[in-house]
Amino acid sequence: MLRVAVVGSGPSGVYAAQTLVQQREVPGVRVDVLDRLPAPYGLVRYGVAPDHEKIKSLQGSLRTVLEDERIRFLGHVEVGGPRLSTGRLLELYHAVVYCVGAARDRLLGIPGEELAGVHSATEFVAWYSGHPDTAAEAFDLAGVGSAVVIGAGNVAVDVTRMLARGEPELAPTDMPQPALGVLAGSGVRSVAMVARRGPSQGKFTTKELRELGTLPGVGVRVDPAELALDPACADPDAAAALPAVARRNVEVLRGWAERDPDGTPRTLALRFYLRPVEVLGGPGGRVSGVRFERTAPDGRGGVTGTGEYEDIEAQLVLRSVGYQGVPLPGLPFDPATATVPHAAGRVLRGGRVSVGEYVAGWIKRGPTGVIGTNRPCAKETASSLLQDAAALARRELPDDPLDALREAGLEPVEWPGWLAIETAEAALGRSLGRGSVKIPDWTGLLTAAAADRPAG
C-alpha cells in the first residue's frame, strides 16, 4: 500500500487526491488530505464570493472526492509548525504533495500604503468569506462614503461588487452575520475600480464584468475618453482582432460609456490608464484618497507615465494586484517566482529531486488560471508520483499516522467533525432567519467540530 499525504484541501489538493486513488496502475493508494483549517475546500469556501452560488456549488464535487473511502480528511493540522515539520511528515508517509496555494497579496510599493483604511482585497475577501484568521471587526464601513479598488481582475470585480451590494442580495448567502451587518450599514455610495492599463487589457472575465451592470440601485460609469485611449478600442479592425474575452469586455464597456448613471443611489466608476503613485492621508492617519498618474500606451503592449495626475477621494482603498506564494518552513522556495522549485511537480532541493516531495497548484505554477486549471496541474504531479511509486513504497512506515499526529499534540478534525460544523452553520442560519451561515472564528469552528465526539 502506498500512503500519501496531500497538504491543502482546495481544488488542487482534492484533484491530486482524486487522481491518485482513481488510477489503476498502482493499486492500494491511500491518501490523507491535511489542512490547517478545520474546514475543507480552500478558496472555494474562503475565496469565492458568497453571491456566486454556481461556483460555490463546486464544493459538492469536492465533497464527493473527500468522502471516498480511500481518502481521509484531517483538518486543523498545521504542517511546518512547531508540532509537525515537513521532515516529520515525510517520515509518516511514502510521499507528500504540497498544495498550499498563494496566501499573500502583492503590495503596490507606494508612499502611504500603510495608512489606516488601506487593505488588500485578500483581507477583504477573507473577512466577508468568514475566514477564521480574520477578525470580525477588521472592517468598519460606517464612515466610508467613497472607495477605490486598484486592479482589473476578477478579484477586483468581486470586491467592487460586494461593496455595492445591498443587504437584500447578501442576506440569502452564507456570509457571516457580522460581515453582513457591516455591509448592510455601509455608507459607501461610490466605488472606483482603477486600472493602470487599458480596457482591452483587463484580466476580468465578461460574465463577472457584466454583473456590475445588474446590481439594483447601482449605476456604472465609464469615461468614453479613456476608452478612446486604447488603440484596440479606437480602431474597429484592432478591436475585431482581440481575443474573444477582451472583445466582449470592450463591447460591455462601450455600452456603459453611452449611458448616464446619474440619479442612482450608488455609482461604480471603471477607470483606465491611471497608475497609483501615492496614497493620501487625512485626519487621524487615515486614508483620504489616492493620487494617480495618467498613463498612455507605449506601443509595445505596456504603458508609460504622462506626468499628469489625478486625485480620487477614498476613505477605503483595496489593492487587488495579484497574489504571491509564501515559504513553507522546511520546503525550498524561489523568491523570484514565489513558488517551490520543481520538475513536473517533483520538489527540487539544490537542483536535485527531493525523493517523496511534490507540489501542485499555485505554489507550483504561481497564481494563474481558474479553478479548472488545477486539474491538469494536479494530474501532472500525481503522474510523477505514480511513476516513482515502486521506489517510494519500499520504505517502511510507522502505524497509522493519525496516532503520531495526536502524539505530537495535534487535534485533527476528521470528516465527522467537518459534518458537525456544517450542521452548526445550518442551525446558526435558522436562528437568524437565513440559510446556512458561516461560523467565522476558530473557537466557534472547533467547538462545533467537537460536537461529533462522544462526551467524557
Side-chain angles (χ1 to χ4, degrees):
M1 181 177 73
L2 185 70
R3 186 185 292 162
V4 180
V6 171
V7 182
S9 65
S12 62
V14 173
Y15 293 150
Q18 182 182 37
T19 302
L20 288 169
V21 301
Q22 290 186 349
Q23 53 76 39
R24 298 180 179 179
E25 293 80 6
V26 180
V29 178
R30 294 293 183 270
V31 179
D32 284 351
V33 177
L34 282 55
D35 202 294
R36 186 177 69 87
L37 298 175
Y41 311 136
L43 284 179
V44 177
R45 175 173 166 91
Y46 289 117
V48 174
D51 60 342
H52 275 180
E53 290 298 327
K54 186 174 182 180
I55 302 175
K56 289 178 73 66
S57 67
L58 176 63
Q59 290 183 164
S61 61
L62 300 181
R63 179 193 195 97
T64 299
V65 176
L66 291 174
E67 289 181 331
D68 188 299
E69 62 182 7
R70 298 163 293 184
I71 297 174
R72 179 170 59 177
F73 173 72
L74 299 176
H76 194 216
V77 175
E78 183 177 7
V79 178
R83 292 186 172 92
L84 183 62
S85 68
T86 56
R88 176 55 177 158
L89 185 62
L90 191 56
E91 292 175 355
L92 302 177
Y93 294 88
H94 292 114
V96 180
V97 184
Y98 291 94
C99 308
V100 291
R104 183 173 61 201
D105 64 285
R106 295 180 184 275
L107 295 171
L108 297 171
I110 61 176
E113 197 169 2
E114 74 289 347
L115 289 170
V118 181
H119 303 269
S120 70
T122 308
E123 292 176 85
F124 192 58
V125 170
W127 171 74
Y128 66 60
S129 296
H131 196 293
D133 286 345
T134 304
E137 63 274 12
F139 289 87
D140 180 1
L141 304 180
V144 177
S146 301
V148 166
V149 177
I150 300 172
N154 278 344
V155 175
V157 172
D158 278 348
V159 298
T160 296
R161 188 181 68 255
M162 297 304 292
L163 284 168
R165 280 262 192 224
E167 184 180 15
E169 303 108 74
L170 295 175
T173 74
D174 63 358
M175 178 181 289
Q177 189 68 18
L180 177 64
V182 170
L183 289 169
S186 167
V188 175
R189 292 296 174 264
S190 66
V191 184
M193 190 177 87
V194 188
R196 66 183 178 88
R197 297 198 292 178
S200 68
Q201 296 169 307
K203 299 299 182 182
F204 36 71
T205 52
T206 310
K207 179 178 181 295
E208 278 66 27
L209 180 65
R210 282 188 177 129
E211 277 188 278
L212 296 179
T214 65
L215 304 179
V218 178
V220 180
R221 188 188 304 274
V222 175
D223 187 345
E226 291 180 348
L227 291 185
L229 291 172
D230 191 331
C233 295
D235 181 352
D237 292 335
L242 287 171
V245 172
R247 187 170 62 252
R248 290 193 293 266
N249 288 345
V250 168
E251 291 171 358
V252 171
L253 293 166
R254 278 177 174 156
W256 287 337
E258 295 170 358
R259 300 178 188 173
D260 182 0
D262 288 344
T264 54
R266 286 163 290 170
T267 59
L268 299 182
L270 305 187
R271 304 294 308 276
F272 300 96
Y273 290 115
L274 291 171
R275 177 169 57 201
V277 294
E278 183 181 0
V279 178
L280 305 175
R286 290 194 59 83
V287 59
S288 64
V290 183
R291 178 160 295 161
F292 293 90
E293 181 183 16
R294 169 68 64 189
T295 62
D298 64 5
R300 301 184 299 275
V303 293
T304 186
T306 65
E308 299 176 8
Y309 296 88
E310 177 181 345
D311 294 349
I312 300 180
E313 179 187 349
Q315 295 81 47
L316 173 71
V317 175
L318 299 176
R319 60 176 182 270
S320 181
V321 291
Y323 294 96
Q324 283 183 311
V326 296
L328 183 69
L331 276 188
F333 188 76
D334 181 353
T337 61
T339 60
V340 172
H342 71 94
R346 296 179 177 93
V347 171
L348 299 176
R349 292 181 181 272
R352 296 186 177 184
V353 169
S354 178
V355 176
E357 293 184 306
Y358 303 83
V359 285
W362 280 1
I363 200 63
K364 170 187 174 184
R365 68 180 191 273
T368 61
V370 294
I371 290 175
T373 311
N374 289 292
R375 191 178 290 277
C377 172
K379 186 175 181 180
E380 179 192 52
T381 296
S383 297
S384 294
L385 191 158
L386 293 167
Q387 291 168 18
D388 305 337
L392 295 172
R394 295 192 191 107
R395 184 164 57 89
E396 292 189 9
L397 299 179
D399 292 332
D400 189 347
L402 183 54
D403 296 332
L405 296 180
R406 288 173 174 154
E407 289 172 5
L410 295 166
E411 299 179 3
V413 172
E414 299 183 68
W415 192 252
W418 159 241
L419 297 181
I421 291 173
E422 283 192 318
T423 299
E425 292 185 336
L428 174 61
R430 286 193 299 272
S431 73
L432 296 169
R434 301 172 57 195
S436 181
V437 172
K438 284 180 182 169
I439 298 170
D441 61 281
W442 278 99
T443 299
L445 288 168
L446 295 177
T447 300
D452 82 294
R453 301 172 189 162

